[in-house]
Amino acid sequence: MPSLKRRLSDPARRLTSAICTIPSAIVTQALAASGMDFVMIDMEHGAVDHGSCHAMIAATAGTECAPLVRVAENDTAQVKRVLDMGAEGIVFPLIRDAEDARVAVASLRYPPRGTRGFGPFIAQSRWGTSLTGYREEIEDHLVCCLLIETTEAVENIDAICAVDGIDLLVVAAFDLTTSLGVSGQFDHPDYLRAQQIIEEAALRAGLPLGGAALNATQAAALFERGHRVIAGFDVLWLKQQSSEMASWCAD
């Protein structure tokens, strides 16, 4: 039975995740087996197609790692397709206001509560349910994660946080600095001010907050600011470790 929503609801628990841009079930399986709480299979910026996505979702089987999928846009058709492959939740990019958040939440649920079309022909096997039993057993366990990465989202953050059905907010630092006109400047006052606004709103609303951490120092800083979820990138980890190994051969 899916369990990530339950872990996110525990205010004392910290969680780890990996953003999977490499279209590989083997990479995903290794990350899932390492003890990650969830993987974010990236269909927005990665090279993952639908066949790879299904294989990567399946590769988490036998572990406690939840397979979430970052879709390319807040679109009901995209959400429906990957949920029907067995995803445990969706990561929604470019959320700008409360209406965007409501659309996202609704796409995870069947009518009359939402807008999802019924067809979990693959997902029923992923979760060990019957076709007709999938809705009753799985729907309320699906995770809704919103990426806060635009100036509009910062301006509307309290209204976004008030939307029922959100399980996790993630501060997407790369996109947010770009939206603010200070791309990659994570110590810029404008970004730090936006980050603080998001953090304070999430904490007031009692919503778990996450962010990217490329090393232990960055992770500790996020935890100190009230974040409970840290995320890394498979391709950046690979490049970092390869570069370190090359340095061993330097004179």
Side-chain angles (χ1 to χ4, degrees):
M1 183 63 63
S3 63
L4 180 58
K5 186 185 282 278
R6 183 175 65 251
R7 281 175 274 168
L8 286 168
S9 69
D10 180 353
R13 186 158 186 172
R14 293 173 174 175
L15 293 86
T16 58
S17 63
I19 300 169
C20 295
T21 62
I22 302 171
S24 168
I26 295 172
V27 171
T28 304
Q29 186 178 55
L31 291 168
S34 75
M36 289 284 169
D37 288 287
F38 67 95
V39 290
M40 182 194 302
I41 299 167
D42 191 355
M43 297 192 74
E44 182 187 19
H45 295 297
V48 179
D49 60 20
H50 283 94
S52 298
C53 181
H54 175 248
M56 294 163 77
I57 291 170
T60 65
T63 74
E64 293 296 314
C65 181
L68 271 58
V69 176
R70 174 159 69 176
V71 291
E73 58 183 316
N74 187 6
D75 175 73
T76 301
Q78 293 189 37
V79 171
K80 172 177 61 178
R81 190 167 184 184
V82 295
L83 288 178
D84 286 344
M85 292 180 189
E88 190 168 333
I90 301 295
V91 180
F92 292 91
L94 299 172
I95 297 299
R96 293 182 171 86
D97 54 29
E99 181 56 27
D100 282 350
R102 283 190 285 269
V103 169
V105 171
S107 69
L108 294 167
R109 298 171 174 171
Y110 296 111
R113 301 170 65 200
T115 57
R116 182 181 174 188
F118 190 83
F121 304 107
I122 300 170
Q124 61 161 332
S125 297
R126 166 73 175 110
W127 298 117
T129 70
S130 66
L131 179 63
T132 54
Y134 169 87
R135 172 178 179 166
E136 180 178 347
E137 295 181 45
I138 303 301
E139 182 175 70
D140 287 335
H141 296 281
L142 298 177
V143 170
C144 179
C145 171
L146 306 184
L147 296 182
I148 305 302
E149 53 189 347
T150 67
T151 55
E152 295 93 338
V154 177
E155 293 166 359
N156 296 309
I157 191 62
D158 284 313
I160 290 171
C161 289
V163 174
D164 184 51
I166 300 168
D167 298 296
L168 174 64
L169 293 181
V170 171
V171 182
F174 292 105
D175 274 294
L176 185 53
T177 55
T178 301
S179 181
L180 290 165
V182 293
S183 186
Q185 300 179 50
F186 306 119
D187 57 355
H188 193 282
D190 290 350
Y191 171 70
L192 295 176
R193 184 162 48 250
Q195 183 184 41
Q196 183 177 0
I197 290 170
I198 297 165
E199 290 167 346
E200 291 176 352
L203 291 173
R204 282 195 301 270
L207 289 175
L209 194 62
L214 303 182
N215 54 55
T217 300
Q218 292 177 2
L222 288 175
F223 290 140
E224 181 67 23
R225 298 178 69 92
H227 292 240
R228 287 181 40 222
V229 178
I230 54 172
F233 298 80
D234 59 355
V235 70
L236 297 184
W237 285 333
L238 179 62
K239 185 175 181 180
Q240 179 181 327
Q241 289 301 113
S242 297
S243 297
E244 181 179 335
M245 184 176 184
S247 72
W248 302 342
C249 300
D251 292 334

